[in-house]
C-alpha cells in the first residue's frame, strides 16, 4: 500500500490485515530499528539497510508459501523499485492518492493522527509527484480523497481477488 503521508495507507492496511488475517509489515516500524520516529536521524544508508531487510523478509514469506503479505509506508521511490526487485513474483501495488490539497493538509496536520509526520508541504509535494508519475507494473492508483477506508479496502480486496494472488 503506497501513497503520501495522510493518504490513508495505515488505516486501509489495518482493515485489509483484519479481513485477510494476513501478515502486515509497516515499513515505518521496520525502519525504526535504524531511525528514530521523529525522522531526525534519517540517512540514506540506514534507510537502504532497512529496505534490504524488508526485501529479505518478503522473499522469505514468498519462499514459504505466503500468498498475501501486506506492506505499507514505503517511500515512493521504493514503490517504483518493486517491479524490478520482485520481477518473478506476483504482487499488486495499491497507491492511495488524494486529489484535494486541503484534505491532505488537514489529515497530515490532524493532532489525532497516529503518525509523527507533520510536514504538510512535503506530503503535498509527494502526493502530487505520485499522481503525476506513470504507474509502475501492477500498480493501481486509488482515489482516497473522500477517505472511506472500508470502501478503499474493498476496492483493493477486489483487485487482489481478481488477480487470484
Amino acid at each position: 500500500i503506497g501513497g503520501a503521508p495522510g493518504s490513508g495507507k495505515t488505516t486501509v492496511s489495518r482493515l485489509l490485515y483484519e479481513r485477510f488475517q494476513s501478515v502486515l509489515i509497516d515499513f515505518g516500524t521496520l525502519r525504526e530499528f535504524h531511525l528514530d520516529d521523529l525522522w531526525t536521524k534519517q540517512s540514506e544508508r540506514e534507510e537502504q539497510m532497512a529496505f534490504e531487510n524488508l526485501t529479505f523478509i518478503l522473499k522469505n514469506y514468498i519462499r514459504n508459501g505466503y500468498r498475501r503479505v501486506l506492506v505499507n509506508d514505503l517511500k515512493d521511490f521504493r514503490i517504483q523499485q518493486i517491479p524490478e526487485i520482485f520481477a518473478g513474483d506476483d504482487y499488486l501495488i495499491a497507491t492511495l492518492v488524494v486529489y484535494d490539497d486541503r484534505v491532505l493538509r488537514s489529515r497530515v496536520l490532524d493532532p489525532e493522527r497516529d503518525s509523527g509526520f507533520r510536514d504538510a508541504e512535503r506530503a503535498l509535494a509527494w502526493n502530487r509527484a505520485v499522481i503525476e508519475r506513470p504507474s509502475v507494473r501492477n500498480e493501481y492508483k486509488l482515489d482516497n480523497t473522500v477517505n472511506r477506508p472500508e470502501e478503499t479496502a474493498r476496492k483493493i480486496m477486489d483487485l487482489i481477488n481478481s488477480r487470484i494472488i
Side-chain angles (χ1 to χ4, degrees):
I1 311 293
S7 64
K9 299 180 304 291
T10 301
T11 303
V12 170
S13 294
R14 287 178 184 156
L15 287 170
L16 291 169
Y17 168 75
E18 290 169 10
R19 290 193 180 144
F20 283 132
Q21 294 297 299
S22 62
V23 176
L24 171 60
I25 301 171
D26 184 320
F27 187 59
T29 302
L30 185 62
R31 215 173 33 231
E32 287 174 10
F33 288 117
H34 304 287
L35 309 171
D36 69 53
D37 61 353
L38 298 177
W39 301 64
T40 58
K41 295 180 189 172
Q42 184 174 4
S43 76
E44 288 181 28
R45 182 173 144 262
E46 289 185 319
E47 201 278 342
Q48 177 63 32
M49 288 170 42
F51 187 69
E52 288 170 4
N53 290 340
L54 173 66
T55 300
F56 174 80
I57 291 167
L58 291 173
K59 288 190 178 278
N60 197 28
Y61 274 114
I62 292 166
R63 187 173 57 253
N64 284 284
Y66 283 77
R67 305 277 297 149
R68 294 185 176 136
V69 178
L70 301 166
V71 178
N72 73 3
D73 207 21
L74 292 171
K75 293 182 178 180
D76 194 54
F77 79 97
R78 296 297 185 194
I79 294 290
Q80 295 176 59
Q81 292 175 333
I82 288 174
E84 181 180 333
I85 294 169
F86 295 97
D89 299 307
D90 197 7
Y91 63 89
L92 180 140
I93 302 168
T95 302
L96 307 182
V97 295
V98 177
Y99 288 103
D100 185 329
D101 286 357
R102 292 171 299 166
V103 169
L104 186 61
R105 179 184 307 280
S106 169
R107 290 183 195 169
V108 170
L109 297 177
D110 182 351
E112 298 297 315
R113 189 166 177 263
D114 59 356
S115 169
F117 190 95
R118 297 282 186 264
D119 187 340
E121 294 310 311
R122 204 161 115 206
L124 290 168
W126 181 336
N127 186 62
R128 277 187 228 104
V130 169
I131 290 169
E132 292 170 3
R133 74 160 169 77
S135 295
V136 298
R137 190 174 74 242
N138 296 338
E139 178 184 33
Y140 299 84
K141 293 182 184 178
L142 301 171
D143 181 1
N144 202 34
T145 305
V146 177
N147 195 23
R148 292 189 182 117
E150 293 81 10
E151 182 180 326
T152 302
R154 185 191 48 74
K155 287 178 183 177
I156 294 170
M157 288 175 56
D158 289 348
L159 285 169
I160 292 170
N161 290 331
S162 72
R163 294 174 54 85
I164 312 172
I165 301 181

